[in-house]
Amino acid sequence: MSETIYGVWAVRSGNSIFGHAEAWCKDHGKVIEFESRAEAEKYTAERNKETTFNCHYYVRPKQHERDSVKYPIERTPDDKVPAVGRPAHLPENYLLNAELKDGKVYYTADSPEAQRQCMAYSLDGGRSFKKYLGNPVIDSHKKWDSHDTRDPKIFKYADHHYVLVLNERDGNTIYTSSDLKTWQPMSHITGFWECPELFHLDNNQGNGTADSLWVMWGASGTYMLGHFDGKTFTPTSPKQINLNGTAYAAQCFNCLEGNDVVKIAWGRISFPGMPFNGCMLLPQKQQLRNTPTGPKLYSQPIEGIDNLFTQIFNGENMSMHEANQHLRQFADDDALRIRATLHLTYATDVSLQYRGQPVFAYDMNSNRLQGDFYVNPQQPDAMDIELDIFIDRTVIEAFVDEGAFSYSLQLNASPTEKRGYEFRGNNLEIKKMQIYRLAEGN
């Protein structure tokens, strides 16, 4: 027996959305060891063929550890993608998306060959999971002649059967099941990509159950409103948009008290020098509201966020010059919440800037808000615009006209710019302005 023991060192790049990480490859928490470099190199080559762009594996000599496992070992009858050899803190089988339902978790197992939908189950309340031996529960890559079949979303429909929405190549497929193990495709709707969502919303401004609608969307935040009979989604409106700026791939919590639906989006924002990439944006309650052109989805911060802030300024009926005078005292504060109602006296552009960077910019002449088309859906000729802006050192999130339009962006203010917060516009009036700071302890 060779005196040298070899292991496989896994490195995940800081460009990954999960951030930089390094560790010995493990199997069920035990470090994997090889008695020869040849065996370790063979294993490493297999892992590098299957890994993602941001991960790489290397052979390294190491000291023998008592709590280790020798390789090669038998592969598990799981999902055609071996789980062995993945560092414990890396996403096993690269879990693109997971959905927990009735003690079971559903995830996409990704390999160079295909993406397949698999299930694991917990017998201890979610503290640990075992993979279902019958995996994959859905393997549709050959039917679609595509590698892109991923991101299961599961819910129970009317206490009758389970529904799974899956993105497959050019849109979202609706599957049904009675036992969460055997799934049958029922319908497909095109025009969506990644991270599907399908949820029900009551229209509190409506006149009855006929005003309740279902929402179907994809990762980009485009959505359709329509009806759902448990098997087929039938659109009743053209596509609309619910995400803007850096926000992407919002996931919904739709099993909350009061039938509320809350989304949390991924902010595609870089953090130089940090061991992670991107962030979670504010949780936002989803609402249906009537407009002259039909119902529309609104997004607003959940009510609990108000408890995190303390008001430090409150003013009304100010000229732009007066408002800017008040804003000067906060020039060095890059963590504020600013709520304001602006009145435009010209159909031109207005903005709120922080150290030269527009955190809000609207051009009424071309109806462009942060570069995207926007008209107040309730009153297209309105000269007032309401803002609720969160500035948090590296991230900006804003909600316009009670959530009719929302966006996020990265804060890239110049450190050499002496000017702090400043409104700009042609004879702009500020009807109301409230400023908040995070309460002590938050």
Side-chain angles (χ1 to χ4, degrees):
M1 175 179 174
S2 171
E3 295 181 358
T4 304
I5 297 297
Y6 296 92
V8 176
W9 189 253
V11 178
R12 186 175 62 206
S13 166
N15 292 326
S16 166
I17 64 172
F18 300 100
H20 173 79
E22 299 184 26
W24 291 113
C25 284
K26 298 178 181 179
D27 179 56
H28 298 290
K30 296 183 178 182
V31 176
I32 302 168
E33 293 183 350
F34 299 85
E35 295 181 355
S36 73
R37 174 176 281 275
E39 289 178 341
E41 289 178 344
K42 180 181 178 181
Y43 177 85
T44 301
E46 291 177 356
R47 298 285 74 75
N48 283 326
K49 287 180 182 178
E50 296 174 351
T51 190
T52 62
F53 178 78
N54 289 316
C55 297
H56 201 77
Y57 298 86
Y58 305 87
V59 174
R60 279 190 181 180
K62 65 183 298 293
Q63 295 293 321
H64 172 67
E65 297 182 20
R66 184 175 62 182
D67 188 20
S68 64
V69 57
K70 294 293 196 315
Y71 263 61
I73 66 171
E74 182 180 357
R75 292 188 174 185
T76 57
D78 180 24
D79 46 33
K80 303 181 183 178
V81 183
V84 298
R86 305 274 181 179
H89 56 276
L90 288 179
E92 187 173 294
N93 285 347
Y94 189 37
L95 306 189
L96 295 175
N97 192 14
E99 180 75 13
L100 181 64
K101 197 68 182 177
D102 292 355
K104 302 175 181 66
V105 64
Y106 295 80
Y107 61 92
T108 297
D110 188 21
S111 75
E113 176 192 356
Q115 292 175 338
R116 300 176 173 92
Q117 316 319 309
C118 300
M119 179 180 74
Y121 59 93
S122 176
L123 301 177
D124 56 10
R127 289 185 291 273
S128 64
F129 287 87
K130 294 183 178 181
K131 292 182 178 179
Y132 174 51
L133 292 179
N135 281 335
V137 293
I138 298 177
D139 186 357
S140 57
H141 76 283
K142 290 183 179 179
K143 172 185 175 181
W144 288 97
D145 189 26
S146 174
H147 180 271
D148 298 300
T149 57
R150 59 178 174 270
D151 301 340
K153 168 73 178 186
I154 301 175
F155 60 91
K156 197 166 189 179
Y157 178 78
D159 292 327
H160 184 261
H161 62 265
Y162 293 97
V163 173
L164 183 150
V165 188
L166 187 68
N167 189 256
E168 296 182 314
R169 195 173 71 180
D170 64 356
N172 296 339
T173 301
I174 294 172
Y175 289 79
T176 62
S177 173
S178 59
D179 60 6
L180 288 167
K181 295 182 290 186
T182 303
W183 296 90
Q184 299 297 328
M186 294 289 119
S187 59
H188 183 80
I189 184 165
T190 59
F192 294 98
W193 177 253
E194 295 186 316
C195 306
E197 284 286 349
L198 178 61
F199 55 88
H200 176 264
L201 278 180
D202 290 326
N203 185 350
N204 295 327
Q205 296 179 328
N207 299 313
T209 56
D211 295 294
S212 299
L213 292 170
W214 287 76
V215 182
M216 169 79 79
W217 76 30
S220 67
T222 57
Y223 69 93
M224 293 180 182
L225 301 175
H227 300 296
F228 181 58
D229 63 3
K231 297 181 179 179
T232 302
F233 174 78
T234 304
T236 57
S237 73
K239 267 191 175 182
Q240 303 182 67
I241 185 72
N242 185 251
L243 295 177
N244 299 278
T246 66
Y248 191 74
Q251 302 294 286
C252 287
F253 298 83
N254 54 339
C255 52
L256 306 175
E257 291 185 12
N259 295 321
D260 286 348
V261 175
V262 173
K263 78 175 182 192
I264 298 180
W266 169 35
R268 294 182 292 181
I269 293 171
S270 63
F271 297 86
M274 293 292 103
F276 53 84
N277 184 21
C279 62
M280 289 191 296
L281 299 176
L282 290 173
Q284 303 169 24
K285 182 178 179 179
Q286 306 301 283
Q287 295 177 307
L288 277 180
R289 295 194 183 184
N290 292 332
T291 75
T293 58
K296 178 180 173 62
L297 197 59
Y298 278 58
S299 297
Q300 289 185 295
I302 60 172
E303 294 177 0
I305 287 178
D306 292 340
N307 299 328
L308 302 178
F309 291 88
T310 299
Q311 188 177 100
I312 55 177
F313 177 82
N314 184 21
E316 296 181 349
N317 301 320
M318 296 172 284
S319 68
M320 185 174 71
H321 176 75
E322 290 171 330
N324 287 339
Q325 287 287 101
H326 289 295
L327 286 170
R328 287 180 182 176
Q329 61 185 300
F330 308 109
D332 296 325
D333 203 329
D334 59 359
L336 293 177
R337 180 183 186 182
I338 300 176
R339 305 181 73 175
T341 301
L342 312 182
H343 177 69
L344 285 69
T345 60
Y346 287 79
T348 52
D349 59 303
V350 297
S351 66
L352 172 63
Q353 310 221 356
Y354 178 62
R355 293 184 177 175
Q357 179 186 356
V359 299
F360 162 79
Y362 179 54
D363 183 353
M364 180 170 275
N365 181 37
S366 58
N367 293 107
R368 294 286 171 181
L369 200 165
Q370 296 297 126
D372 294 315
F373 183 81
Y374 175 73
V375 172
N376 187 321
Q378 302 289 352
Q379 188 178 349
D381 61 348
M383 297 298 287
D384 286 357
I385 189 164
E386 294 186 7
L387 310 179
D388 189 1
I389 302 177
F390 295 79
I391 302 104
D392 188 13
R393 291 190 168 85
T394 55
V395 181
I396 298 167
E397 285 190 72
F399 303 85
V400 179
D401 291 333
E402 298 184 337
F405 187 99
S406 60
Y407 62 90
S408 62
L409 65 151
Q410 184 163 1
L411 182 59
N412 289 315
S414 171
T416 61
E417 173 62 55
K418 295 182 179 180
R419 290 174 298 180
Y421 296 94
E422 182 180 70
F423 284 109
R424 296 183 184 180
N426 193 346
N427 201 30
L428 177 66
E429 298 175 1
I430 288 75
K431 299 175 71 172
K432 179 177 65 175
M433 184 172 70
Q434 298 169 332
I435 301 177
Y436 304 80
R437 186 176 285 135
L438 278 173
E440 187 174 351
N442 292 318

